[in-house]
Amino acid sequence: MSAESGGDLAGPGVSGDDRAEETGAAVLAWAQHLQLVTDTFEEQRLVAMRLGEFAALIVPEASVCDLELTARWAAFICLVDDRFDRGGLGSRPDEVGALFSRLLDVMDQGHATGSDSGIEAALDDLWRRTAPRMSMQWRDRFLADYRDFALATREEATSHRDRIRLRLRDYVLRRRRTITALPMADILECTTGAPWPGLPEARMRALRLAAADVAGWTNDLVSAEDDLLEGRDNLVTVLGRERRCSLSSAREQVTRMRDRRLQDFHALAASLTAEAAPGTEREMVRRYVAGLESFVAATLHWLGVTGRFDAHWLPQRTGVCD
């Protein structure tokens, strides 16, 4: 695996799990049942994502229930994202806004609105399995994170439609909101049994933002050619455009950016764990930080092995549309 994907940076905690294949099969069956995937093309692409392996790396000691719940949330997030990137919604902000309005209604109202949409049915199922286990503070935080993701995705669709070219700084700020790392980190509070410890709040938020940046920038390294072919902004192309350098030079610079941000993340994680007060608070901080570290390590590994960005899934090459 190349250093670019981050596979050699993930650390010794990343290893295989013999439950991964069974989890992947269970997620496919769930997605088929709820019509989150509707044809052979989508089914094959979901299998190629290897989300059972991803979940097994994040929550290696979780119960079968929590392992599958983690993988189902990851599948939902990836497949919703694909509606924008490959389904044509990525340049239609009004339709993006309408979709997210329906999804947020599912969580606000506690049930699907009667639509026959597989996306809404899947979210309804996930929310019923997750929200009752968590506090009202967690629900408010998840909804705030998901609303911000929805807003950023609509902003991105508007920029794509209007051919607005973001500056590097603005792209970086938006990317940490569109990568869905923060909503996924919220979900892991449930499936890892490690809720937000509360204090020190500012530094915990900084740790989460560092995790989101690492995930987003690594994703952009892996998907740069894919995004370039489809005319989507990507950290590699935005940096190359602003600094007037070649794609290969931009890729090298983004890799160094990602590596420095990963160092920031690990330094924050170490200091938070070391400085927490003894007793219950330290254990809560340790568990939460360990969960985020596992998420970052798993993301770096998974982005190097997932088939999600393989060229043959591109609609214009296959003639198949989502």
Side-chain angles (χ1 to χ4, degrees), residues 173-238:
L173 291 174
R174 181 185 289 174
R175 188 63 177 121
R176 69 169 49 147
R177 299 165 60 210
T178 61
I179 189 60
T180 64
L182 297 183
M184 192 66 197
D186 296 331
I187 296 303
L188 296 181
E189 292 182 44
C190 176
T191 59
T192 62
W196 174 284
L199 296 173
E201 185 169 342
R203 295 175 69 199
M204 283 292 180
R205 291 186 184 281
L207 185 71
R208 282 161 49 93
L209 293 180
D213 287 342
V214 170
W217 301 355
T218 306
N219 185 291
D220 279 12
L221 282 165
V222 175
S223 66
E225 283 76 15
D226 187 349
D227 291 334
L228 185 62
L229 284 170
E230 298 199 27
R232 293 191 299 268
D233 261 350
N234 177 292
L235 183 56
V236 176
T237 55
V238 171

Side-chain angles (χ1 to χ4, degrees), residues 36-291:
L36 190 58
V37 291
T38 58
D39 57 32
T40 301
F41 176 85
E42 291 183 337
E43 292 169 0
Q44 291 175 344
R45 190 158 185 267
L46 178 58
V47 171
M49 291 181 195
R50 300 172 68 171
L51 293 173
E53 179 177 340
F54 180 47
L57 292 170
I58 300 174
V59 286
E61 299 179 2
S63 66
V64 171
C65 175
D66 283 338
L67 183 61
E68 290 187 6
L69 184 59
T70 302
R72 288 176 182 181
W73 270 108
F76 171 80
I77 285 170
C78 287
L79 292 170
V80 169
D81 188 59
D82 289 345
R83 298 295 171 104
F84 308 129
D85 292 347
R86 291 170 172 78
L89 291 183
S91 59
R92 301 200 293 268
D94 290 344
E95 292 183 42
V96 169
L99 172 60
F100 277 123
S101 179
R102 296 197 304 272
L103 293 179
L104 287 163
D105 280 347
V106 170
M107 294 181 284
D108 282 330
Q109 298 177 20
H111 59 82
T113 58
S115 167
D116 60 358
S117 164
I119 292 179
E120 289 169 66
L123 180 57
D124 183 37
D125 180 71
L126 291 169
W127 194 241
R128 290 173 185 271
R129 294 173 185 271
T130 308
R133 298 168 55 179
M134 306 303 289
S135 67
M136 287 303 300
Q137 291 86 349
W138 177 90
R139 298 185 201 191
D140 290 343
R141 187 169 65 256
F142 180 88
L143 285 169
D145 286 337
Y146 203 80
R147 283 195 181 94
D148 191 52
F149 160 65
L151 177 61
T153 304
R154 183 168 185 173
E155 292 170 1
E156 186 176 58
T158 300
S159 295
H160 189 98
R161 182 196 63 191
D162 298 342
R163 301 183 183 276
I164 297 171
R165 293 189 165 188
L166 294 181
R167 295 188 62 82
L168 178 61
R169 181 179 181 278
D170 295 328
Y171 178 84
V172 166
L173 291 174
R174 181 185 289 174
R175 188 63 177 121
R176 69 169 49 147
R177 299 165 60 210
T178 61
I179 189 60
T180 64
L182 297 183
M184 192 66 197
D186 296 331
I187 296 303
L188 296 181
E189 292 182 44
C190 176
T191 59
T192 62
W196 174 284
L199 296 173
E201 185 169 342
R203 295 175 69 199
M204 283 292 180
R205 291 186 184 281
L207 185 71
R208 282 161 49 93
L209 293 180
D213 287 342
V214 170
W217 301 355
T218 306
N219 185 291
D220 279 12
L221 282 165
V222 175
S223 66
E225 283 76 15
D226 187 349
D227 291 334
L228 185 62
L229 284 170
E230 298 199 27
R232 293 191 299 268
D233 261 350
N234 177 292
L235 183 56
V236 176
T237 55
V238 171
L239 183 146
R241 182 173 68 228
E242 183 158 313
R243 298 183 180 175
R244 299 182 180 180
C245 61
S246 67
L247 192 66
S248 60
S249 175
R251 183 185 292 279
E252 290 172 1
Q253 292 179 63
V254 171
T255 301
R256 290 195 294 270
M257 282 177 58
R258 189 278 316 276
D259 292 352
R260 289 193 296 270
R261 197 64 172 129
L262 182 60
Q263 291 172 357
D264 292 342
F265 172 81
H266 286 310
L268 270 169
S271 65
L272 281 165
T273 303
E275 295 173 16
T280 302
E281 181 183 326
R282 172 174 289 179
E283 178 60 19
M284 290 180 66
V285 170
R286 187 198 66 78
R287 286 179 60 83
Y288 183 82
V289 170

